[in-house]
Amino acid sequence: TRMRLHIHAGNFAQVLSLDQALAPVAPGIANQVAEPEALFHRTMARLGLLLDGSAPPDAAERVAADLAQMQAWRSLCEENYGLRADILQTLHDALAGDRAAAAGQLARIVALAPGDAAEWLGDRALALAFAARLDPAGPWRERAAQAYTAWGATALARLYA
């Protein structure tokens, strides 16, 4: 989706703009795979803006609501939603905590992700890219570049190399 492309490029405001454009058709995607996809990407965008200090006034409230929804989906299927729920929760926790520690936690989460490694490469790369934002002095930029290369997103890999 376009939201996915923009979140990986760090275009958080554009992700939220696309999410707003999706609102009129949201009832039509309820209970389909597009619904949790959209929620994950818009929540990552809001968390990115909150971490940067440039979020809209209602961002924290909306993140809390989306986190609750992701946890509800997680309770239905850990394999499909566990990794994303952990990424979102760790970024949420980073807002009020130790950002370097949160970066390390993101790396541990993606290293232990269940299922086929190829299935989660994009989410792993995105989590490591956020780890690089949280802890610029850490090894996360190189790890994000490696993850994007493994995923086949070489243009994104070059941004982090």
Side-chain angles (χ1 to χ4, degrees):
T1 67
R2 289 174 37 192
M3 288 173 74
R4 184 176 194 158
L5 294 173
H6 284 289
I7 196 67
H8 282 280
N11 299 330
F12 304 137
Q14 184 64 30
V15 172
L16 296 181
S17 176
L18 290 167
D19 185 60
Q20 266 191 322
L22 189 64
V25 297
I29 66 166
N31 303 314
Q32 296 181 37
V33 70
E35 183 181 16
E37 281 286 314
L39 181 140
F40 178 69
H41 294 116
R42 76 171 173 248
T43 307
M44 291 292 288
R46 285 190 181 110
L47 286 163
L49 292 170
L50 284 163
L51 289 164
D52 291 349
S54 58
D58 64 345
E61 181 179 304
R62 288 179 176 233
V63 165
D66 284 347
L67 279 172
Q69 180 60 58
M70 184 61 78
Q71 290 297 345
W73 286 328
R74 177 188 205 151
S75 71
L76 298 173
C77 188
E78 174 70 26
E79 233 176 50
N80 286 347
Y81 304 110
L83 174 64
R84 287 181 167 186
D86 286 343
I87 291 169
L88 293 175
Q89 189 62 56
T90 300
L91 289 171
H92 183 261
D93 294 347
L95 293 171
D98 181 346
R99 291 184 179 201
Q105 179 64 17
L106 284 171
R108 285 187 292 283
I109 289 167
V110 298
L112 300 173
D116 178 17
E119 181 180 358
W120 300 107
L121 284 176
D123 289 346
R124 287 177 175 163
L126 182 59
L128 291 167
F130 267 80
R133 296 171 72 83
L134 292 171
D135 182 17
W140 315 118
R141 287 185 66 80
E142 181 179 336
R143 291 187 187 177
Q146 291 167 350
Y148 277 123
T149 298
W151 189 36
T154 55
L156 288 167
R158 284 192 296 273
L159 291 175
Y160 290 94

